[in-house]
Amino acid sequence: DDDGGFTPPLTRNDDVTFEMYRLFPLVRYLDAVYSGRDFVDRIFSILRVFEGEYAGGGGGGSTQGGDNDGTSQAVGQARLELPYKAITASLCECSTPHAALAAQLVLHRFETRLSREPDFTHDNPPTVETYNNVISCWRRSGNVRYPRYGIASSSVHGHHSNPCADVVEHMLRLYDSDPENMARVRPDQISFDNAISSVARYQMEGQRSRNGRAISSAGRVCHRFLMRMLDFDGAPDLITFSTVINALGRG
């Protein structure tokens, strides 16, 4: 008898992981060769290829007979979540500001399509973990401000020029707009801790450059994030409290 062991069924996240490991060598190569706007443009050229292939009922032979009827198109759209999440995850394995910005823009494109295109089907949308990966990528990049690549002049979502704060504010807006259906993106303690730490560094950079607006706004942002963390039954530690108090003191 062959008792080779139990193999658990693959999940949708397993599919994303597989796509990610196929894409990551390419993303890593592009990250080493290109920078700034050039890098972001090349990532989006790849994404557009995926969008054209999957939206037409493609996606690695998921349809049969080459028929491009409504069923095959729905299958292709459902599979389109794979490159969105896989490209985002691959980018978040890098630690450069252009990779962090590209990851955030790809994720934003995915979320925007989900909210604005009723026919765009999916069963594995972005979650708080997806957003946390982008936040962590920004933290590792060392950038406390959006880089000036001519793409996001001040911020991607329009909430804050600090990328981590901008992402968390966007998550809060999404969640507050529909708490039941958008619970998947409700910020958790990791989201808030990373954002508070990054905003505090943003404030200290503002002190060095004598940017009064950055100094005064940072304390309020840190305090608001702390209050929302407590609203969500978070458990901030001594470091988080101290960071917020110091930010308020500087402001």
Side-chain angles (χ1 to χ4, degrees):
D1 294 335
D2 182 10
D3 59 353
F6 172 72
T7 302
L10 291 176
T11 67
R12 301 297 284 146
N13 284 325
D14 291 320
D15 289 340
V16 171
T17 300
F18 177 72
E19 289 279 333
M20 172 189 165
Y21 282 109
R22 292 203 303 167
L23 286 167
F24 180 59
L26 173 60
V27 171
R28 182 170 54 185
Y29 168 77
L30 294 174
D31 183 52
V33 174
Y34 300 99
S35 62
R37 178 67 179 263
D38 286 342
F39 175 82
V40 177
D41 286 345
R42 278 161 175 77
I43 292 297
F44 268 78
S45 69
I46 295 170
L47 183 62
R48 283 191 288 272
V49 171
F50 275 113
E51 287 178 333
E53 171 69 14
Y54 281 73
S62 59
T63 61
Q64 298 178 356
D67 294 332
N68 189 19
D69 57 12
T71 302
S72 65
Q73 185 173 10
V75 172
Q77 289 174 335
R79 302 294 292 178
L80 184 55
E81 71 199 29
L82 300 183
Y84 280 124
K85 296 190 79 171
I87 291 174
T88 301
S90 298
L91 289 164
C92 289
E93 289 294 313
C94 305
S95 300
T96 52
H98 51 257
L101 179 59
Q104 185 176 350
L105 290 170
V106 170
L107 177 57
H108 184 49
R109 186 181 182 100
F110 186 20
E111 196 77 73
T112 300
R113 291 198 65 186
L114 293 179
S115 63
R116 295 182 181 176
E117 299 181 25
D119 295 332
F120 184 65
T121 58
H122 61 91
D123 60 8
N124 192 2
T127 64
V128 61
E129 289 80 11
T130 316
Y131 281 92
N132 282 348
N133 284 340
V134 174
I135 294 170
S136 295
C137 188
W138 275 117
R139 287 289 311 279
R140 293 196 311 275
S141 78
N143 273 49
V144 295
R145 292 178 173 277
Y146 279 110
R148 297 184 180 276
Y149 295 154
I151 302 169
S153 57
S154 59
S155 69
V156 171
H157 303 298
H159 306 306
H160 204 282
S161 55
N162 174 267
C164 295
D166 195 37
V167 173
V168 171
E169 290 280 13
H170 182 62
M171 295 166 71
L172 287 170
R173 296 290 180 92
L174 289 174
Y175 172 73
D176 290 341
S177 68
D178 190 351
E180 182 177 353
N181 291 319
M182 298 304 293
R184 58 183 171 83
V185 299
R186 191 184 81 169
D188 60 13
Q189 187 157 334
I190 295 173
S191 317
F192 287 119
D193 281 343
N194 277 320
I196 288 171
S197 176
S198 183
V199 171
R201 290 180 55 234
Y202 166 86
Q203 185 186 48
M204 288 188 286
E205 182 187 271
Q207 283 185 314
R208 288 192 293 270
S209 61
R210 300 182 183 277
N211 185 336
R213 183 178 179 182
I215 296 170
S216 62
S217 67
R220 295 193 298 271
V221 172
C222 288
H223 181 260
R224 183 168 66 254
F225 286 166
L226 176 63
M227 293 298 100
R228 292 305 301 266
M229 186 196 303
L230 294 171
D231 288 342
F232 297 154
D233 298 323
D237 58 16
L238 182 60
I239 294 175
T240 302
F241 276 114
S242 299
T243 301
V244 174
I245 291 170
N246 288 335
L248 288 169
R250 294 188 197 100

